[in-house]
């Protein structure tokens, strides 16, 4: 596997995870900084011929050491890098959010289909045991259908675009905390509804308290979603505070992840029947091994490109509802 983009997430999470995995390992990198690539080659023990730049991704085609490219660049570059990897004949794991727009998601899915390669999204929680158990509870209806859902995710962002923070740059980030952190809430809500998408959304942007950072993107956004079966959800995505919670309720019980629900710590699941202790896993190692096994055995992906596209459709509906103040249909089909 090759990592494309050697920033914070690759350096501190995915690289170390790839030292623990049993079914995949790091065999190359794609980076704009060749000296950094050489350091990774030494640290992870792969040959320097497996260092590529974004401009030479087409040459991945002739490289038998790399089966999968994991795209870990800023959101606004996911489409370009995913399509380049697919054209070189490699399977792709693309970080969340899948892209800036649904239109980009369609192009990515199309490119992977045309090349006959898999497209997966870096939704690590689909491989985390507590979250997997919440999915099971929803699917098997142990408590009946969950009809009230609430989630929030965010952190206090401190640096402006001028300090090199691409998350404050609309073009590279696609939007604000909804793209970066809210996508986890969107994901969890759909998990709790057995992967159904909401039918309609209402939403509003929160106040901009630090205009020096939030000149291009929202500082926070809150939304309400209604699902086809009448279930109602409230969500919040924010760069104003550290928050990470998720709770669902039904006629016969409730379940809650964390807090924190979405960070790298184990999101302990508590339900109205008590809590069960699941073994702590390294989330990224579990995800990488899980995805490698799906590829090796031909099983469907838990976190597919189509799922990433659905989430962008929901995100686009939240933005449009917040802008127009209207109840907005979700076109996730
Ligand atoms: P980062 O800024 O630390 O790293 C981004 C990398 O992309 C850098 O190495 C940078 O050099 C490279 N890059 C290539 N072209 C660039 C350009 N034109 N402008 C800026 N950088 C460019 O960011 P990160 O925190 O590692 O996030 C990368 C991706 O991973 C994002 O999509 C983010 O949402 C995702 N992410 C996911 C998780 C998760 O838990 N799944 C956690 C963190 C980040």
């Amino acid at each position: 596997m090759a990592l494309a983009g050697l920033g914070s997430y690759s350096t501190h999470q995915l690289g170390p995870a790839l030292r623990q995995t049993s079914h995949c390992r790091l065999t190359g990198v794609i980076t704009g900084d060749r000296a950094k690539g050489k350091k990774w080659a030494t640290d992870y023990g792969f040959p320097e011929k497996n260092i590529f730049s974004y401009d030479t991704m087409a040459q991945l085609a002739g490289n038998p050491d790399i089966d999968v490219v994991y795209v870990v660049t800023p959101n606004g570059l996911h489409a370009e890098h995913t399509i380049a990897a697919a054209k070189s004949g490699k399977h792709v794991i693309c970080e969340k959010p899948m892209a800036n727009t649904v239109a980009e998601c369609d192009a990515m899915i199309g490119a992977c289909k045309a090349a006959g390669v898999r497209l997966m999204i870096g939704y690590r929680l689909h491989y985390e045991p507590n979250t997997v158990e919440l999915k099971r509870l929803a699917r098997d209806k142990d408590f009946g259908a969950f009809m009230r859902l609430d989630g929030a995710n965010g952190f206090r962002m401190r640096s402006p675009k001028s300090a090199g923070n691409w998350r404050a740059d609309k073009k590279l980030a696609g939007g604000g905390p909804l793209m970066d952190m809210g996508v986890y809430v969107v994901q969890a809500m759909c998990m709790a509804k057995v992967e159904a998408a909401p039918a309609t959304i209402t939403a509003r942007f929160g106040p901009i308290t630090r205009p020096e950072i939030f000149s291009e993107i929202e500082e926070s956004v809150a939304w309400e979603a209604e699902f086809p079966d009448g279930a109602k959800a409230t969500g919040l995505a924010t760069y104003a505070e550290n928050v990470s919670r998720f709770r669902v309720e039904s006629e016969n019980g409730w379940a809650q992840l964390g807090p924190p629900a979405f960070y790298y710590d184990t999101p302990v699941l508590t339900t109205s029947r008590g809590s069960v202790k699941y073994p702590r896993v390294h989330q990224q190692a579990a995800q990488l091994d899980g995805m490698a096994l799906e590829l090796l055995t031909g099983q469907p992906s838990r976190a597919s490109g189509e799922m990433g596209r659905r989430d962008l459709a929901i995100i686009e509906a939240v933005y449009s509802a917040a802008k127009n103040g209207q109840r907005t249909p979700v076109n996730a089909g």
Side-chain angles (χ1 to χ4, degrees), residues 16-148:
L18 283 160
R19 293 189 194 278
Q20 297 185 29
T21 44
S22 313
H23 303 289
C24 53
R25 65 196 164 90
L26 189 66
T27 50
V29 291
I30 296 123
T31 172
D33 180 343
R34 190 153 177 95
K36 206 195 243 186
K38 283 187 178 175
K39 181 155 187 340
W40 277 69
T42 308
D43 287 355
Y44 284 88
F46 57 81
E48 287 191 11
K49 74 172 174 62
N50 293 358
I51 305 170
F52 297 84
S53 72
Y54 300 104
D55 300 334
T56 60
M57 284 179 73
Q59 293 168 19
L60 282 160
N63 189 303
D65 301 343
I66 297 164
D67 301 314
V68 181
V69 171
Y70 196 149
V71 175
V72 203
T73 49
N75 311 341
L77 301 170
H78 288 179
E80 181 187 328
H81 295 149
T82 294
I83 291 167
K87 282 189 172 159
S88 75
K90 306 301 175 184
H91 300 295
V92 186
I93 306 173
C94 175
E95 255 315 317
K96 47 55 62 177
M98 179 169 164
N100 279 6
T101 62
V102 170
E104 284 183 343
C105 295
D106 284 335
M108 294 158 80
I109 291 169
C112 289
K113 282 219 168 93
V117 298
R118 221 30 115 94
L119 174 55
M120 296 168 275
I121 309 302
Y123 287 142
R124 54 185 158 75
L125 290 163
H126 281 271
Y127 303 85
E128 190 289 312
N130 292 270
T131 313
V132 168
E133 174 63 3
L134 179 72
K135 278 172 60 170
R136 191 202 62 75
L137 287 175
R139 191 188 62 229
D140 293 349
K141 305 222 170 356
D142 286 23
F143 299 106
F146 294 123
M147 297 305 283
R148 285 174 304 282

Side-chain angles (χ1 to χ4, degrees), residues 283-302:
Q283 288 189 21
Q284 288 79 7
Q287 172 209 331
L288 286 157
D289 263 343
M291 289 181 168
L293 277 175
E294 287 165 359
L295 277 174
L296 290 167
T297 60
Q299 282 166 18
S301 305
R302 296 189 206 182

